[in-house]
Each structure stands twice: as structure tokens, then as C-alpha cells.
Amino acid sequence: MSSENLPQSPEQQLRKPRVAVVFGGRSSEHAISVVTAGAVLRSIDRTKYEVLPIGITTDGRWALTADEPDRMAIADRRLPSVEELAESTEGGVVLSVDPGNREVVYSEQGSVPKALGEVDVVFPVLHGPYGEDGTLQGLLELSGVPYVGAGVLASAVGQDKEYMKRVFLSYGLPVGPYVVIRPREWQQDPSGARKKIVEFAGEHGWPIFVKPARAGSSMGITKVDALEGLEDAIEEAQRHDPKILVESLLRGREIECGVLEFEDGPRASVPAEIPPVTSHEFYDFEAKYIDAAAGLVPAPLTEEETAEVQRLAVEAYDAVSCEGLVRADFFLTEDGGFVINEINTMPGFTPISMYPRMWQESGVGYAELIDRLIQAALRRPTGLR
């Protein structure tokens, strides 16, 4: 019997839903996940929910952490980590994979395991591999625990930019030119792999963008203006992912749009525009999180352009079978058409992140946004749906 069909005990009926906020993780976006978790913990309605913060260290240990959002912020350009927040350097949190048991247990070598109570829903604010890519979602499906955000398939497709673009193309969504270099190509024929990139640049022109296929927060992305910069760009991308993606430069305005699950289905927010960042080559990690480059919300678009990008954002959400939320990123090209760059199934949720800002402008404040995501997760069953 799956846990969602189990009768509730009197204790479950009386207490508030317990939300496990899971953050950190093994990806290069660990610190941004911690910052996101701090914002969620600071704003979640404590009169409505009990909260259990669980951090995942960079080596994959699930740790019980302090519920102290102020320690999770970027301070003096210094990035936070779960290791600094963990209550122990050895103890671990364990979630049962028995779908009839949602109890979370904390264990430490030489001590009696401590039951932390049942979890009703998980709010995973992990970014990148081992969290946003379907791996954690698969564990939660096995455990029978509802969770915020996309399911296994949508999370995996949303993380892998190659297959994301393939799905978009199959649904007739506009996608820019790209080429993929897989790990086996590097291993068996590195000169052939490089030639493939150079030929792509010759066809579509320099500059090109070299990026990890399965990373986010602009990690590992390099704008390459000429052949001599290619080797360093490849090396930087492969520090984050052995599979890389090469894209041509799309000249136009960068437009983003949020999608949120409501009771009657997904709706799009007002769009935002990322203006040119003069102090950076492009809208990279430092521009997003360290220097806090400001986006324009709402984007200065015509009514027709706004309606079109909102339509495309919801279509992208549906194409990948997303749930909960998505941020869809577009280019409004010089010929007046939109091209979808990518979606993010767990977009940045920091106070300066574009997704919450777009919904704030659309009439859904940050606390309500969190509440809607949790309620949407509680409405959905785990398993096939």
C-alpha cells in the first residue's frame, strides 16, 4: 500500500504538515542551494507548517542542520556551505525507502538512532546534478513522499540541455543552433571533437558559448570569441560535466518568464528582461549572485510580445511534463521572434532571483509562492500520474 493511501493517525490529523527543506548537495551549485534554502526557511509560514532543514554536504552526507537562515546568506562575497551548518561532522539523516513509512531518522556512530518524526512533503531546493536532475526525485518516489517541483523524467530532461532541446524541437518550439560533444567523443577522437566545434563555429560564426550540458547557474560557461580561446573553454566546461554543449550567439534581448502550478493548471508570470551586463561578458555566475545584476520586471515588451512569451513558457513546461514551477529563458531576436534557450525546473529562489521577482510583480508574494508550491506537492500523489 502506498503511503498516500494510508489512513492518518490522530497525531497526523492534529499536527501541522512537516516540510523537509533539503538543500546543498554534491554539485558545483552547492552554495547557491544553501542561499536559496535560507530564503525559503526565512519566509515559510511557521504558523502553517513545521519545518525540518536537512543539508546535503558536498560529499553526499545528509546532515541535520541548524534552522538559522541568516547563516545561509552570501556575506562579503563568501559563499555558505552545509558543512558550516551541520550539527555534527559525522551524524547522518536517513529517509526510509519504505513507502509505508515516512519517518526520518538521525543516526550517529556509537549512539542510539533518533527519530525526527514523519515528513509530509519535501521541498528540495537543490540545483544541478544529484538533486535537480531526477536522482533525488527518484528516491522520494521510492519513499512515497510528496515533493515540490518536477518529477523524475522532467527533472532529468530539464537538467540535460541536449535532451531538453530535443524535446523542444519535437514540440515545434523555436531553438537556436547547437552541437553536443559526448564524453566518448573526447576519449576516442579528441581532434575530431575539436574539429566538430570549429566547423560549427565556421557555419554559425564566432563568438560561441561552450557550456556543461548538465549544470546551471551559468557555472562553467565561457564565451569564446576566437579559436585561441577554445581549449580553455572546453577545459572549464569539463570541470563541471564531461558532456559539453556548444551554442551559437543569438543576438537579441534576454527574456525570462516564470510558470507556476495553480489549482486549475500552470500559469505564466509577467516576463522579465536581463539587460546587457557591461561589467561581465554575459549574465554569468558572478553577475547573478555576487554582483546582483538587476533585471527589469516586468520586461518592456508589447502586449503581443508578452502574450507570446507567456504562451511559449507554458508550452515548454507542458512539453517536458513539468510540475510545480519552471523558469523559461528566451531570446527575443532582432527579427522579432522568440527562441527558447532553456528551462530551469528549480530556478534560483534567492531574494534577488528572477523567478520570485516575476511572481511578486504578478501578484504572488514570496511567502504565498512557497505555500502554493507546497500545496501543489501535497495535492499530487507519488508514483505514476
Side-chain angles (χ1 to χ4, degrees):
M1 181 184 292
S2 66
S3 59
E4 61 267 16
N5 296 321
L6 291 173
Q8 286 195 324
S9 67
E11 187 270 339
Q12 287 175 306
Q13 293 171 356
L14 291 172
R15 68 171 172 79
K16 295 176 287 189
R18 182 173 288 118
V19 181
V21 178
V22 180
F23 62 97
R26 295 163 56 187
S27 83
S28 54
E29 297 175 79
H30 176 98
I32 295 308
S33 175
V34 177
V35 175
T36 300
V40 171
L41 289 171
R42 186 177 293 107
S43 301
I44 193 169
D45 187 349
R46 303 299 180 114
T47 67
K48 192 170 183 178
Y49 303 107
E50 293 182 18
V51 180
L52 177 66
I54 299 173
I56 302 177
T57 64
T58 52
D59 62 2
R61 179 174 64 92
W62 287 45
L64 194 62
T65 64
D67 186 0
E68 299 178 14
D70 289 344
R71 294 175 57 195
M72 300 181 183
I74 298 174
D76 298 324
R77 304 179 78 88
R78 184 172 177 274
L79 301 175
S81 70
V82 168
E83 282 78 359
E84 296 171 344
L85 298 162
E87 294 189 353
S88 167
T89 58
E90 296 180 359
V93 174
V94 178
L95 177 66
S96 172
V97 292
D98 175 2
N101 177 16
R102 293 180 178 176
E103 185 134 289
V104 175
V105 175
Y106 176 78
S107 62
E108 197 166 341
Q109 190 171 1
S111 301
V112 177
K114 175 185 176 183
L116 301 178
E118 291 191 350
V119 166
D120 298 292
V121 61
V122 170
F123 199 135
V125 291
L126 294 130
H127 304 303
Y130 310 107
E132 191 183 352
D133 60 349
T135 49
L136 176 66
Q137 289 74 14
L139 171 64
L140 296 173
E141 292 286 352
L142 288 173
S143 302
V145 179
Y147 53 92
V148 168
V152 176
L153 175 66
S155 296
V157 172
Q159 186 66 40
D160 191 314
K161 295 177 178 64
E162 175 193 359
Y163 289 99
M164 180 198 307
K165 291 176 185 292
R166 288 179 180 271
V167 169
F168 290 158
L169 286 168
S170 74
Y171 276 82
L173 291 164
V175 173
Y178 72 97
V179 67
V180 176
I181 308 293
R182 294 183 173 84
R184 188 168 59 189
E185 293 180 77
W186 293 116
Q187 295 161 6
Q188 296 182 354
D189 186 11
S191 61
R194 289 175 176 82
K195 181 181 177 184
K196 187 174 174 180
I197 297 174
V198 172
E199 289 177 347
F200 175 84
E203 179 181 357
H204 298 286
W206 301 88
I208 59 174
F209 287 90
V210 178
K211 59 177 64 176
R214 296 162 291 192
S217 295
S218 298
M219 290 284 192
I221 300 178
T222 305
K223 181 183 177 185
V224 184
D225 294 305
L227 182 62
E228 53 266 29
L230 185 59
E231 289 299 320
D232 288 343
I234 292 171
E235 183 178 341
E236 172 61 16
Q238 289 184 321
R239 286 200 313 111
H240 300 269
D241 188 346
K243 180 168 82 166
I244 72 168
L245 191 81
V246 179
E247 295 175 337
S248 63
L249 172 67
L250 292 174
R251 300 187 186 279
R253 299 160 61 186
E254 292 189 51
I255 306 295
E256 298 184 349
C257 189
V259 179
L260 176 64
E261 180 181 338
F262 285 74
E263 290 81 358
D264 59 350
R267 300 182 197 172
S269 70
V270 300
E273 179 171 4
I274 308 301
V277 185
T278 56
S279 58
H280 297 264
E281 278 287 306
F282 58 97
Y283 194 47
D284 61 7
F285 178 87
E286 287 216 351
K288 286 180 179 178
Y289 299 109
I290 304 299
D291 296 336
L296 303 176
V297 187
L301 300 172
T302 67
E303 289 186 13
E304 293 76 13
E305 289 168 339
T306 295
E308 176 66 2
V309 76
Q310 289 174 327
R311 180 187 70 82
L312 290 171
V314 173
E315 284 194 11
Y317 176 99
D318 285 336
V320 183
S321 298
C322 292
E323 294 167 303
L325 73 165
V326 146
R327 192 194 71 230
D329 300 345
F330 298 86
F331 289 98
L332 177 54
T333 60
E334 294 174 341
D335 64 4
F338 284 99
V339 174
I340 187 166
N341 184 36
E342 64 181 47
I343 60 169
N344 196 312
T345 58
M346 183 49 70
F349 238 79
T350 68
I352 61 170
S353 296
M354 296 307 298
Y355 185 85
R357 289 182 59 195
M358 287 187 286
W359 278 109
Q360 178 75 45
E361 188 67 24
S362 304
V364 180
Y366 194 67
E368 182 186 349
L369 186 59
I370 293 169
D371 182 59
R372 284 192 171 277
L373 289 169
I374 293 171
Q375 290 300 316
L378 289 169
R379 286 195 301 269
R380 290 193 301 268
T382 53
L384 299 177
R385 51 191 184 274

